[in-house]
Amino acid sequence: MADKNVISLDKIKVACHDCSLAELCLPMGLRPEDVDRLDAIVKRNRPLQRGDNLFRAGETFRNLYVVKTGAVKTFTQSNDGDEQVVGFHLPGEVLGLDAIQDGSHGCSARALETTAICELPFERLEDLSSSIPSLQHQMFRLLSKEISQEAEMMALLGRSTAEERVASFLISLSERFKRRGFSATDFFLSMSRQEIGSYLGLALETVSRLFTRFQDEKILKVERKHVQILDRARLQAMVTHHHNCEPSQARPTT
Amino acid sequence: MADKNVISLDKIKVACHDCSLAELCLPMGLRPEDVDRLDAIVKRNRPLQRGDNLFRAGETFRNLYVVKTGAVKTFTQSNDGDEQVVGFHLPGEVLGLDAIQDGSHGCSARALETTAICELPFERLEDLSSSIPSLQHQMFRLLSKEISQEAEMMALLGRSTAEERVASFLISLSERFKRRGFSATDFFLSMSRQEIGSYLGLALETVSRLFTRFQDEKILKVERKHVQILDRARLQAMVTHHHNCEPSQARPTT
DNA sequence: CGTAGCTTTGAAGATTTTCAACCTTAGTGG
DNA sequence: CCACTAAGGTTGAAAATCTTCAAAGCTACG
């Protein structure tokens, strides 16, 4: 809607209009004055550098976070030190929804590259939701969407071969980039093979091999972090095989 | 809180007090008069028989459902016919949260045994939430909890061996039964090996073998659907190995 | 230019799946 | 009352997939 660029002085407000609140507001349109009220509670912090933590597991939950630019991973750590990636978060996506429940974060979040974040104090958001029914509705939808997406991921992990998982991962990234106005067929992975593997429940070598194989089969062109999707149809076919209950692309929702 | 038994005439109301709304109300206590307002919108339907569908993927979303007694599975169907189980729902647990998002159910729900269900018209629930801040808060918590649980499941599926998955599944069931006042160490599985396997991303034979092995190792006693946990500590140890970020049992929250 | 960190690749090893047979239980009907 | 059948469960062996271990290649960065 508001397509303005970020302006230095009025940065906070504008930043929110054009990005952070898109996820919350655009889907069903709050009234402009309500958007302003929402804007008023949003904070924008200095950008995170690669490796910086946004929050850590166990910390008290106070804010939801919206990725403006960059990318963030969420992960848990096993007691023997190695980490398990539970999500990647691209621009426009929200973090922290799992922490509302018990007031503390259940996973840590770390920037995969230089990343700008908006912060939404959850208590304020709750207050506002009480007085703006359509915001409450958006909040419910937002939470519900997260549940759907996770369920889809569970179905993927519960059923798929390594091939399906990697294909599905690429399609997911592709769609998410596309939605934010980036190329759906040509993008950079901000995460390592290791992190992809951890997320998909595969060894990093398996991920690497699949990338190589897809390239040999002319489905992808991969050059380190740079991925180009050459044959989306075949990628899709690998996944469609398990038909995720909702006809994903049949409805132009979202 | 209300520990009354179900009384025939006033069944609907009482039923809700002692069970269906526990999940929504008890965690942080609505005021009694608010609970009554909530009760007023709850419907209770005839019980479902084993195999009956509660809803099907693609149907319009109107209600959330709370399992009162019995058990329900949610699943998606691949185009080649076989199903993928995405969840099991025991008494006190809520179904349908994933459907708020786009107004239609993304998976089907079917009774695994004779099952009683409460129905909560979501629109009414939203209206009520607007006027009862603590109910809104409970709703957010409910949705957030679902997100946490799914994230935990994703972590499990993404990281575990068959052994860990089955161990984790049993512990999860055990805890859920316990919370509802059933035995944590002696219960009946209402789902088949096939369904467990589908849920955990394992072949049904693998599930069966693990049950047998656990029995050989004196961790379980399994006799068809009847499971007894003999050595919870060792079951727990198989899972703890991956430390689910939140110290699960350290805090008596819930 | 050299080192550190990813990534790729190969080969061996482990786990899990698949296929197939058999067993058990519960329900049915002779 | 017993045999029969169907559905679910168990078990074994072969086959497939994925992981692990190991080594080498590539890039980026200081």
Side-chain angles (χ1 to χ4, degrees), chain A residues 5-67:
Chain A
N5 290 316
V6 175
I7 297 164
S8 60
L9 276 185
D10 203 30
K11 174 170 5 183
I12 294 168
K13 178 153 181 177
V14 174
C16 297
H17 264 298
D18 78 347
C19 163
S20 84
L21 300 184
E23 195 73 25
L24 289 169
C25 308
L26 294 185
M28 270 196 70
L30 298 185
R31 286 171 315 186
E33 67 261 36
D34 291 335
V35 176
D36 288 341
R37 292 172 67 191
L38 192 46
D39 269 351
I41 70 168
V42 176
K43 284 180 279 191
R44 181 165 167 283
N45 302 316
R46 73 191 174 300
L48 299 175
Q49 295 306 312
R50 175 182 165 80
D52 289 351
N53 281 320
L54 180 55
F55 53 77
R56 289 173 193 266
E59 281 180 10
T60 301
F61 165 69
R62 295 198 200 301
N63 306 295
L64 295 180
Y65 300 96
V66 184
V67 179

